Amino acid sequence: MGAILLDTGFDLNHIWKIMLSFLDPITSFSNLQINPVRELKELCQSHNWDFEVPASKKGRTFSVDVTLNGKDMNISASASSSNKKEAIRMASEKIYARLKVKPVYLWIFFTCSSPCEITDSYSEIIN
């Protein structure tokens, strides 16, 4: 760092440009998105929730219902695709988007006295 300072003639603007170029790979790495299936599985493990993925196939189309079951909550999402892994990813993405964007869902999970069931029909109420 000292050599850069001396070489630039103590020009802090130039030093910041150099330092930000060093940090650029780190900042772009933080923008990477983890697979939503992996994120949900890790979330379920940390909260002792069950992660279920029943799938069915009709013709060339796979239909999946990803379900999270916990002590006081139940949330599910469905998706269909010609690829089973893609269908699971799409349904997991729907659930993870709800949990990430809608803190109301988390509030419901932890404040319900009896098990709550959150499905696509509730999205109309919260939106």
Side-chain angles (χ1 to χ4, degrees), residues 64-99:
V64 297
D65 295 315
V66 174
T67 306
L68 302 183
N69 291 315
K71 180 180 176 186
D72 292 329
M73 72 93 192
N74 180 13
I75 184 170
S76 64
S78 301
S80 298
S81 178
S82 59
N83 183 332
K84 183 177 178 181
K85 284 185 179 181
E86 179 68 16
I88 294 170
R89 187 194 61 74
M90 289 168 34
S92 297
E93 207 169 62
K94 288 179 184 179
I95 291 176
Y96 193 76
R98 288 183 200 164
L99 293 174

PDB file of all heavy atoms in Angstrom, residues 64-99:
ATOM      1  N   VAL A  64     -44.432 -30.122 -10.021  1.00  0.00           N
ATOM      2  CA  VAL A  64     -43.924 -30.286  -8.662  1.00  0.00           C
ATOM      3  C   VAL A  64     -44.642 -29.336  -7.727  1.00  0.00           C
ATOM      4  O   VAL A  64     -45.095 -28.260  -8.120  1.00  0.00           O
ATOM      5  CB  VAL A  64     -42.393 -30.051  -8.577  1.00  0.00           C
ATOM      6  CG1 VAL A  64     -41.638 -31.072  -9.394  1.00  0.00           C
ATOM      7  CG2 VAL A  64     -42.023 -28.655  -8.977  1.00  0.00           C
ATOM      8  N   ASP A  65     -44.744 -29.749  -6.485  1.00  0.00           N
ATOM      9  CA  ASP A  65     -45.282 -28.924  -5.409  1.00  0.00           C
ATOM     10  C   ASP A  65     -44.236 -28.891  -4.308  1.00  0.00           C
ATOM     11  O   ASP A  65     -44.109 -29.846  -3.540  1.00  0.00           O
ATOM     12  CB  ASP A  65     -46.594 -29.494  -4.857  1.00  0.00           C
ATOM     13  CG  ASP A  65     -47.700 -29.476  -5.876  1.00  0.00           C
ATOM     14  OD1 ASP A  65     -47.852 -28.445  -6.544  1.00  0.00           O
ATOM     15  OD2 ASP A  65     -48.397 -30.499  -6.016  1.00  0.00           O
ATOM     16  N   VAL A  66     -43.480 -27.811  -4.241  1.00  0.00           N
ATOM     17  CA  VAL A  66     -42.487 -27.663  -3.191  1.00  0.00           C
ATOM     18  C   VAL A  66     -43.196 -27.167  -1.951  1.00  0.00           C
ATOM     19  O   VAL A  66     -43.955 -26.202  -2.000  1.00  0.00           O
ATOM     20  CB  VAL A  66     -41.368 -26.686  -3.612  1.00  0.00           C
ATOM     21  CG1 VAL A  66     -40.417 -26.420  -2.467  1.00  0.00           C
ATOM     22  CG2 VAL A  66     -40.613 -27.236  -4.813  1.00  0.00           C
ATOM     23  N   THR A  67     -42.979 -27.855  -0.828  1.00  0.00           N
ATOM     24  CA  THR A  67     -43.663 -27.525   0.417  1.00  0.00           C
ATOM     25  C   THR A  67     -42.663 -27.398   1.553  1.00  0.00           C
ATOM     26  O   THR A  67     -41.781 -28.232   1.712  1.00  0.00           O
ATOM     27  CB  THR A  67     -44.680 -28.627   0.775  1.00  0.00           C
ATOM     28  OG1 THR A  67     -45.553 -28.831  -0.328  1.00  0.00           O
ATOM     29  CG2 THR A  67     -45.482 -28.254   1.997  1.00  0.00           C
ATOM     30  N   LEU A  68     -42.820 -26.338   2.342  1.00  0.00           N
ATOM     31  CA  LEU A  68     -42.060 -26.161   3.577  1.00  0.00           C
ATOM     32  C   LEU A  68     -43.027 -26.363   4.725  1.00  0.00           C
ATOM     33  O   LEU A  68     -44.057 -25.713   4.790  1.00  0.00           O
ATOM     34  CB  LEU A  68     -41.461 -24.765   3.675  1.00  0.00           C
ATOM     35  CG  LEU A  68     -40.528 -24.291   2.580  1.00  0.00           C
ATOM     36  CD1 LEU A  68     -40.001 -22.905   2.933  1.00  0.00           C
ATOM     37  CD2 LEU A  68     -39.397 -25.243   2.372  1.00  0.00           C
ATOM     38  N   ASN A  69     -42.700 -27.273   5.618  1.00  0.00           N
ATOM     39  CA  ASN A  69     -43.539 -27.531   6.789  1.00  0.00           C
ATOM     40  C   ASN A  69     -42.722 -27.303   8.039  1.00  0.00           C
ATOM     41  O   ASN A  69     -41.640 -27.867   8.191  1.00  0.00           O
ATOM     42  CB  ASN A  69     -44.059 -28.971   6.787  1.00  0.00           C
ATOM     43  CG  ASN A  69     -45.062 -29.214   5.694  1.00  0.00           C
ATOM     44  OD1 ASN A  69     -45.952 -28.412   5.496  1.00  0.00           O
ATOM     45  ND2 ASN A  69     -44.894 -30.302   4.959  1.00  0.00           N
ATOM     46  N   GLY A  70     -43.247 -26.478   8.905  1.00  0.00           N
ATOM     47  CA  GLY A  70     -42.595 -26.220  10.178  1.00  0.00           C
ATOM     48  C   GLY A  70     -43.585 -26.387  11.303  1.00  0.00           C
ATOM     49  O   GLY A  70     -44.729 -26.798  11.094  1.00  0.00           O
ATOM     50  N   LYS A  71     -43.149 -26.051  12.492  1.00  0.00           N
ATOM     51  CA  LYS A  71     -43.997 -26.196  13.678  1.00  0.00           C
ATOM     52  C   LYS A  71     -45.302 -25.411  13.520  1.00  0.00           C
ATOM     53  O   LYS A  71     -46.378 -25.925  13.761  1.00  0.00           O
ATOM     54  CB  LYS A  71     -43.236 -25.708  14.902  1.00  0.00           C
ATOM     55  CG  LYS A  71     -44.001 -25.818  16.183  1.00  0.00           C
ATOM     56  CD  LYS A  71     -43.202 -25.311  17.350  1.00  0.00           C
ATOM     57  CE  LYS A  71     -44.031 -25.343  18.607  1.00  0.00           C
ATOM     58  NZ  LYS A  71     -43.338 -24.739  19.737  1.00  0.00           N
ATOM     59  N   ASP A  72     -45.212 -24.167  13.096  1.00  0.00           N
ATOM     60  CA  ASP A  72     -46.394 -23.313  12.994  1.00  0.00           C
ATOM     61  C   ASP A  72     -46.591 -22.714  11.611  1.00  0.00           C
ATOM     62  O   ASP A  72     -47.169 -21.647  11.481  1.00  0.00           O
ATOM     63  CB  ASP A  72     -46.299 -22.165  14.010  1.00  0.00           C
ATOM     64  CG  ASP A  72     -46.417 -22.652  15.429  1.00  0.00           C
ATOM     65  OD1 ASP A  72     -47.112 -23.657  15.635  1.00  0.00           O
ATOM     66  OD2 ASP A  72     -45.816 -22.032  16.315  1.00  0.00           O
ATOM     67  N   MET A  73     -46.101 -23.386  10.591  1.00  0.00           N
ATOM     68  CA  MET A  73     -46.290 -22.821   9.261  1.00  0.00           C
ATOM     69  C   MET A  73     -46.260 -23.906   8.195  1.00  0.00           C
ATOM     70  O   MET A  73     -45.724 -24.973   8.390  1.00  0.00           O
ATOM     71  CB  MET A  73     -45.265 -21.735   8.968  1.00  0.00           C
ATOM     72  CG  MET A  73     -43.864 -22.181   8.739  1.00  0.00           C
ATOM     73  SD  MET A  73     -43.590 -22.420   7.004  1.00  0.00           S
ATOM     74  CE  MET A  73     -42.063 -23.269   7.080  1.00  0.00           C
ATOM     75  N   ASN A  74     -46.886 -23.569   7.095  1.00  0.00           N
ATOM     76  CA  ASN A  74     -46.931 -24.442   5.926  1.00  0.00           C
ATOM     77  C   ASN A  74     -47.010 -23.535   4.714  1.00  0.00           C
ATOM     78  O   ASN A  74     -47.940 -22.755   4.594  1.00  0.00           O
ATOM     79  CB  ASN A  74     -48.142 -25.373   6.001  1.00  0.00           C
ATOM     80  CG  ASN A  74     -48.236 -26.286   4.809  1.00  0.00           C
ATOM     81  OD1 ASN A  74     -47.297 -26.416   4.029  1.00  0.00           O
ATOM     82  ND2 ASN A  74     -49.370 -26.928   4.659  1.00  0.00           N
ATOM     83  N   ILE A  75     -46.026 -23.614   3.844  1.00  0.00           N
ATOM     84  CA  ILE A  75     -46.030 -22.793   2.638  1.00  0.00           C
ATOM     85  C   ILE A  75     -45.680 -23.685   1.458  1.00  0.00           C
ATOM     86  O   ILE A  75     -44.844 -24.568   1.565  1.00  0.00           O
ATOM     87  CB  ILE A  75     -45.051 -21.602   2.762  1.00  0.00           C
ATOM     88  CG1 ILE A  75     -45.145 -20.692   1.540  1.00  0.00           C
ATOM     89  CG2 ILE A  75     -43.642 -22.039   2.989  1.00  0.00           C
ATOM     90  CD1 ILE A  75     -44.394 -19.384   1.691  1.00  0.00           C
ATOM     91  N   SER A  76     -46.367 -23.464   0.348  1.00  0.00           N
ATOM     92  CA  SER A  76     -46.106 -24.288  -0.818  1.00  0.00           C
ATOM     93  C   SER A  76     -46.226 -23.465  -2.098  1.00  0.00           C
ATOM     94  O   SER A  76     -46.853 -22.408  -2.115  1.00  0.00           O
ATOM     95  CB  SER A  76     -47.078 -25.462  -0.864  1.00  0.00           C
ATOM     96  OG  SER A  76     -48.395 -25.006  -1.022  1.00  0.00           O
ATOM     97  N   ALA A  77     -45.602 -23.982  -3.138  1.00  0.00           N
ATOM     98  CA  ALA A  77     -45.689 -23.370  -4.463  1.00  0.00           C
ATOM     99  C   ALA A  77     -45.580 -24.476  -5.494  1.00  0.00           C
ATOM    100  O   ALA A  77     -44.926 -25.483  -5.274  1.00  0.00           O
ATOM    101  CB  ALA A  77     -44.589 -22.339  -4.656  1.00  0.00           C
ATOM    102  N   SER A  78     -46.233 -24.280  -6.618  1.00  0.00           N
ATOM    103  CA  SER A  78     -46.245 -25.270  -7.689  1.00  0.00           C
ATOM    104  C   SER A  78     -45.603 -24.700  -8.939  1.00  0.00           C
ATOM    105  O   SER A  78     -45.635 -23.489  -9.170  1.00  0.00           O
ATOM    106  CB  SER A  78     -47.675 -25.680  -8.015  1.00  0.00           C
ATOM    107  OG  SER A  78     -48.304 -26.207  -6.880  1.00  0.00           O
ATOM    108  N   ALA A  79     -45.051 -25.598  -9.739  1.00  0.00           N
ATOM    109  CA  ALA A  79     -44.487 -25.202 -11.026  1.00  0.00           C
ATOM    110  C   ALA A  79     -44.479 -26.403 -11.952  1.00  0.00           C
ATOM    111  O   ALA A  79     -44.488 -27.555 -11.494  1.00  0.00           O
ATOM    112  CB  ALA A  79     -43.075 -24.662 -10.861  1.00  0.00           C
ATOM    113  N   SER A  80     -44.492 -26.126 -13.238  1.00  0.00           N
ATOM    114  CA  SER A  80     -44.447 -27.177 -14.252  1.00  0.00           C
ATOM    115  C   SER A  80     -43.394 -26.831 -15.291  1.00  0.00           C
ATOM    116  O   SER A  80     -43.209 -25.666 -15.637  1.00  0.00           O
ATOM    117  CB  SER A  80     -45.800 -27.314 -14.945  1.00  0.00           C
ATOM    118  OG  SER A  80     -46.784 -27.693 -14.023  1.00  0.00           O
ATOM    119  N   SER A  81     -42.726 -27.879 -15.777  1.00  0.00           N
ATOM    120  CA  SER A  81     -41.718 -27.694 -16.805  1.00  0.00           C
ATOM    121  C   SER A  81     -41.441 -29.036 -17.465  1.00  0.00           C
ATOM    122  O   SER A  81     -41.813 -30.091 -16.939  1.00  0.00           O
ATOM    123  CB  SER A  81     -40.425 -27.139 -16.193  1.00  0.00           C
ATOM    124  OG  SER A  81     -39.422 -27.001 -17.178  1.00  0.00           O
ATOM    125  N   SER A  82     -40.776 -28.998 -18.596  1.00  0.00           N
ATOM    126  CA  SER A  82     -40.404 -30.249 -19.269  1.00  0.00           C
ATOM    127  C   SER A  82     -39.202 -30.894 -18.590  1.00  0.00           C
ATOM    128  O   SER A  82     -38.887 -32.052 -18.832  1.00  0.00           O
ATOM    129  CB  SER A  82     -40.085 -29.981 -20.740  1.00  0.00           C
ATOM    130  OG  SER A  82     -39.019 -29.059 -20.841  1.00  0.00           O
ATOM    131  N   ASN A  83     -38.539 -30.165 -17.708  1.00  0.00           N
ATOM    132  CA  ASN A  83     -37.393 -30.660 -16.961  1.00  0.00           C
ATOM    133  C   ASN A  83     -37.738 -30.643 -15.473  1.00  0.00           C
ATOM    134  O   ASN A  83     -38.144 -29.614 -14.935  1.00  0.00           O
ATOM    135  CB  ASN A  83     -36.182 -29.763 -17.253  1.00  0.00           C
ATOM    136  CG  ASN A  83     -34.922 -30.217 -16.582  1.00  0.00           C
ATOM    137  OD1 ASN A  83     -34.939 -30.839 -15.532  1.00  0.00           O
ATOM    138  ND2 ASN A  83     -33.798 -29.889 -17.201  1.00  0.00           N
ATOM    139  N   LYS A  84     -37.561 -31.770 -14.791  1.00  0.00           N
ATOM    140  CA  LYS A  84     -37.940 -31.863 -13.379  1.00  0.00           C
ATOM    141  C   LYS A  84     -37.127 -30.899 -12.512  1.00  0.00           C
ATOM    142  O   LYS A  84     -37.677 -30.211 -11.651  1.00  0.00           O
ATOM    143  CB  LYS A  84     -37.748 -33.296 -12.889  1.00  0.00           C
ATOM    144  CG  LYS A  84     -38.184 -33.520 -11.466  1.00  0.00           C
ATOM    145  CD  LYS A  84     -38.023 -34.977 -11.071  1.00  0.00           C
ATOM    146  CE  LYS A  84     -38.402 -35.200  -9.632  1.00  0.00           C
ATOM    147  NZ  LYS A  84     -38.215 -36.607  -9.238  1.00  0.00           N
ATOM    148  N   LYS A  85     -35.818 -30.825 -12.723  1.00  0.00           N
ATOM    149  CA  LYS A  85     -34.982 -29.923 -11.926  1.00  0.00           C
ATOM    150  C   LYS A  85     -35.390 -28.468 -12.130  1.00  0.00           C
ATOM    151  O   LYS A  85     -35.388 -27.676 -11.197  1.00  0.00           O
ATOM    152  CB  LYS A  85     -33.504 -30.106 -12.285  1.00  0.00           C
ATOM    153  CG  LYS A  85     -32.890 -31.350 -11.718  1.00  0.00           C
ATOM    154  CD  LYS A  85     -31.406 -31.393 -12.015  1.00  0.00           C
ATOM    155  CE  LYS A  85     -30.779 -32.631 -11.417  1.00  0.00           C
ATOM    156  NZ  LYS A  85     -29.331 -32.691 -11.663  1.00  0.00           N
ATOM    157  N   GLU A  86     -35.742 -28.127 -13.351  1.00  0.00           N
ATOM    158  CA  GLU A  86     -36.184 -26.758 -13.643  1.00  0.00           C
ATOM    159  C   GLU A  86     -37.494 -26.445 -12.933  1.00  0.00           C
ATOM    160  O   GLU A  86     -37.678 -25.349 -12.387  1.00  0.00           O
ATOM    161  CB  GLU A  86     -36.331 -26.566 -15.157  1.00  0.00           C
ATOM    162  CG  GLU A  86     -36.795 -25.198 -15.564  1.00  0.00           C
ATOM    163  CD  GLU A  86     -35.780 -24.097 -15.298  1.00  0.00           C
ATOM    164  OE1 GLU A  86     -34.592 -24.395 -15.071  1.00  0.00           O
ATOM    165  OE2 GLU A  86     -36.198 -22.929 -15.301  1.00  0.00           O
ATOM    166  N   ALA A  87     -38.412 -27.402 -12.909  1.00  0.00           N
ATOM    167  CA  ALA A  87     -39.689 -27.199 -12.216  1.00  0.00           C
ATOM    168  C   ALA A  87     -39.464 -27.005 -10.717  1.00  0.00           C
ATOM    169  O   ALA A  87     -40.078 -26.133 -10.097  1.00  0.00           O
ATOM    170  CB  ALA A  87     -40.621 -28.379 -12.474  1.00  0.00           C
ATOM    171  N   ILE A  88     -38.572 -27.798 -10.132  1.00  0.00           N
ATOM    172  CA  ILE A  88     -38.258 -27.660  -8.701  1.00  0.00           C
ATOM    173  C   ILE A  88     -37.629 -26.299  -8.438  1.00  0.00           C
ATOM    174  O   ILE A  88     -37.970 -25.616  -7.467  1.00  0.00           O
ATOM    175  CB  ILE A  88     -37.329 -28.802  -8.228  1.00  0.00           C
ATOM    176  CG1 ILE A  88     -38.067 -30.140  -8.297  1.00  0.00           C
ATOM    177  CG2 ILE A  88     -36.809 -28.540  -6.825  1.00  0.00           C
ATOM    178  CD1 ILE A  88     -37.183 -31.346  -8.085  1.00  0.00           C
ATOM    179  N   ARG A  89     -36.720 -25.874  -9.321  1.00  0.00           N
ATOM    180  CA  ARG A  89     -36.074 -24.577  -9.153  1.00  0.00           C
ATOM    181  C   ARG A  89     -37.090 -23.440  -9.236  1.00  0.00           C
ATOM    182  O   ARG A  89     -37.073 -22.508  -8.436  1.00  0.00           O
ATOM    183  CB  ARG A  89     -34.983 -24.374 -10.217  1.00  0.00           C
ATOM    184  CG  ARG A  89     -34.158 -23.099  -9.984  1.00  0.00           C
ATOM    185  CD  ARG A  89     -33.330 -22.724 -11.189  1.00  0.00           C
ATOM    186  NE  ARG A  89     -34.120 -22.448 -12.374  1.00  0.00           N
ATOM    187  CZ  ARG A  89     -34.847 -21.343 -12.579  1.00  0.00           C
ATOM    188  NH1 ARG A  89     -34.899 -20.401 -11.660  1.00  0.00           N
ATOM    189  NH2 ARG A  89     -35.541 -21.177 -13.693  1.00  0.00           N
ATOM    190  N   MET A  90     -38.018 -23.526 -10.192  1.00  0.00           N
ATOM    191  CA  MET A  90     -39.021 -22.467 -10.355  1.00  0.00           C
ATOM    192  C   MET A  90     -39.938 -22.369  -9.130  1.00  0.00           C
ATOM    193  O   MET A  90     -40.226 -21.275  -8.650  1.00  0.00           O
ATOM    194  CB  MET A  90     -39.846 -22.734 -11.622  1.00  0.00           C
ATOM    195  CG  MET A  90     -39.075 -22.504 -12.901  1.00  0.00           C
ATOM    196  SD  MET A  90     -39.823 -23.110 -14.434  1.00  0.00           S
ATOM    197  CE  MET A  90     -41.552 -22.913 -14.223  1.00  0.00           C
ATOM    198  N   ALA A  91     -40.386 -23.516  -8.613  1.00  0.00           N
ATOM    199  CA  ALA A  91     -41.255 -23.502  -7.429  1.00  0.00           C
ATOM    200  C   ALA A  91     -40.496 -23.001  -6.204  1.00  0.00           C
ATOM    201  O   ALA A  91     -41.028 -22.225  -5.402  1.00  0.00           O
ATOM    202  CB  ALA A  91     -41.822 -24.891  -7.185  1.00  0.00           C
ATOM    203  N   SER A  92     -39.246 -23.412  -6.062  1.00  0.00           N
ATOM    204  CA  SER A  92     -38.427 -22.952  -4.938  1.00  0.00           C
ATOM    205  C   SER A  92     -38.182 -21.460  -5.015  1.00  0.00           C
ATOM    206  O   SER A  92     -38.169 -20.767  -3.992  1.00  0.00           O
ATOM    207  CB  SER A  92     -37.084 -23.692  -4.918  1.00  0.00           C
ATOM    208  OG  SER A  92     -37.276 -25.062  -4.728  1.00  0.00           O
ATOM    209  N   GLU A  93     -38.001 -20.971  -6.228  1.00  0.00           N
ATOM    210  CA  GLU A  93     -37.796 -19.537  -6.427  1.00  0.00           C
ATOM    211  C   GLU A  93     -39.027 -18.742  -5.987  1.00  0.00           C
ATOM    212  O   GLU A  93     -38.911 -17.679  -5.382  1.00  0.00           O
ATOM    213  CB  GLU A  93     -37.510 -19.287  -7.906  1.00  0.00           C
ATOM    214  CG  GLU A  93     -36.693 -18.076  -8.194  1.00  0.00           C
ATOM    215  CD  GLU A  93     -36.236 -18.069  -9.646  1.00  0.00           C
ATOM    216  OE1 GLU A  93     -37.111 -18.030 -10.548  1.00  0.00           O
ATOM    217  OE2 GLU A  93     -35.024 -18.099  -9.866  1.00  0.00           O
ATOM    218  N   LYS A  94     -40.211 -19.275  -6.265  1.00  0.00           N
ATOM    219  CA  LYS A  94     -41.451 -18.609  -5.846  1.00  0.00           C
ATOM    220  C   LYS A  94     -41.516 -18.504  -4.320  1.00  0.00           C
ATOM    221  O   LYS A  94     -41.846 -17.453  -3.761  1.00  0.00           O
ATOM    222  CB  LYS A  94     -42.676 -19.367  -6.346  1.00  0.00           C
ATOM    223  CG  LYS A  94     -42.929 -19.267  -7.821  1.00  0.00           C
ATOM    224  CD  LYS A  94     -44.152 -20.082  -8.196  1.00  0.00           C
ATOM    225  CE  LYS A  94     -44.412 -20.121  -9.670  1.00  0.00           C
ATOM    226  NZ  LYS A  94     -45.586 -20.949 -10.009  1.00  0.00           N
ATOM    227  N   ILE A  95     -41.219 -19.611  -3.645  1.00  0.00           N
ATOM    228  CA  ILE A  95     -41.268 -19.612  -2.178  1.00  0.00           C
ATOM    229  C   ILE A  95     -40.213 -18.677  -1.610  1.00  0.00           C
ATOM    230  O   ILE A  95     -40.496 -17.863  -0.723  1.00  0.00           O
ATOM    231  CB  ILE A  95     -41.076 -21.036  -1.618  1.00  0.00           C
ATOM    232  CG1 ILE A  95     -42.290 -21.894  -1.957  1.00  0.00           C
ATOM    233  CG2 ILE A  95     -40.853 -21.004  -0.111  1.00  0.00           C
ATOM    234  CD1 ILE A  95     -42.159 -23.333  -1.546  1.00  0.00           C
ATOM    235  N   TYR A  96     -38.997 -18.788  -2.123  1.00  0.00           N
ATOM    236  CA  TYR A  96     -37.918 -17.963  -1.582  1.00  0.00           C
ATOM    237  C   TYR A  96     -38.191 -16.478  -1.821  1.00  0.00           C
ATOM    238  O   TYR A  96     -37.916 -15.644  -0.964  1.00  0.00           O
ATOM    239  CB  TYR A  96     -36.572 -18.365  -2.178  1.00  0.00           C
ATOM    240  CG  TYR A  96     -35.436 -17.757  -1.427  1.00  0.00           C
ATOM    241  CD1 TYR A  96     -35.052 -18.258  -0.180  1.00  0.00           C
ATOM    242  CD2 TYR A  96     -34.761 -16.649  -1.909  1.00  0.00           C
ATOM    243  CE1 TYR A  96     -34.028 -17.682   0.532  1.00  0.00           C
ATOM    244  CE2 TYR A  96     -33.733 -16.070  -1.209  1.00  0.00           C
ATOM    245  CZ  TYR A  96     -33.379 -16.592   0.015  1.00  0.00           C
ATOM    246  OH  TYR A  96     -32.368 -16.011   0.733  1.00  0.00           O
ATOM    247  N   ALA A  97     -38.769 -16.149  -2.966  1.00  0.00           N
ATOM    248  CA  ALA A  97     -39.111 -14.754  -3.246  1.00  0.00           C
ATOM    249  C   ALA A  97     -40.138 -14.243  -2.243  1.00  0.00           C
ATOM    250  O   ALA A  97     -40.066 -13.102  -1.782  1.00  0.00           O
ATOM    251  CB  ALA A  97     -39.635 -14.612  -4.669  1.00  0.00           C
ATOM    252  N   ARG A  98     -41.102 -15.072  -1.893  1.00  0.00           N
ATOM    253  CA  ARG A  98     -42.103 -14.664  -0.890  1.00  0.00           C
ATOM    254  C   ARG A  98     -41.453 -14.420   0.461  1.00  0.00           C
ATOM    255  O   ARG A  98     -41.763 -13.443   1.133  1.00  0.00           O
ATOM    256  CB  ARG A  98     -43.158 -15.751  -0.722  1.00  0.00           C
ATOM    257  CG  ARG A  98     -44.091 -15.887  -1.856  1.00  0.00           C
ATOM    258  CD  ARG A  98     -45.099 -16.936  -1.513  1.00  0.00           C
ATOM    259  NE  ARG A  98     -45.728 -17.446  -2.711  1.00  0.00           N
ATOM    260  CZ  ARG A  98     -46.410 -18.563  -2.757  1.00  0.00           C
ATOM    261  NH1 ARG A  98     -46.550 -19.294  -1.678  1.00  0.00           N
ATOM    262  NH2 ARG A  98     -46.951 -18.962  -3.875  1.00  0.00           N
ATOM    263  N   LEU A  99     -40.580 -15.338   0.863  1.00  0.00           N
ATOM    264  CA  LEU A  99     -39.932 -15.202   2.166  1.00  0.00           C
ATOM    265  C   LEU A  99     -38.992 -14.005   2.205  1.00  0.00           C
ATOM    266  O   LEU A  99     -38.879 -13.336   3.224  1.00  0.00           O
ATOM    267  CB  LEU A  99     -39.154 -16.473   2.500  1.00  0.00           C
ATOM    268  CG  LEU A  99     -39.983 -17.721   2.741  1.00  0.00           C
ATOM    269  CD1 LEU A  99     -39.072 -18.922   2.918  1.00  0.00           C
ATOM    270  CD2 LEU A  99     -40.880 -17.556   3.950  1.00  0.00           C
TER     271      LEU A  99
END
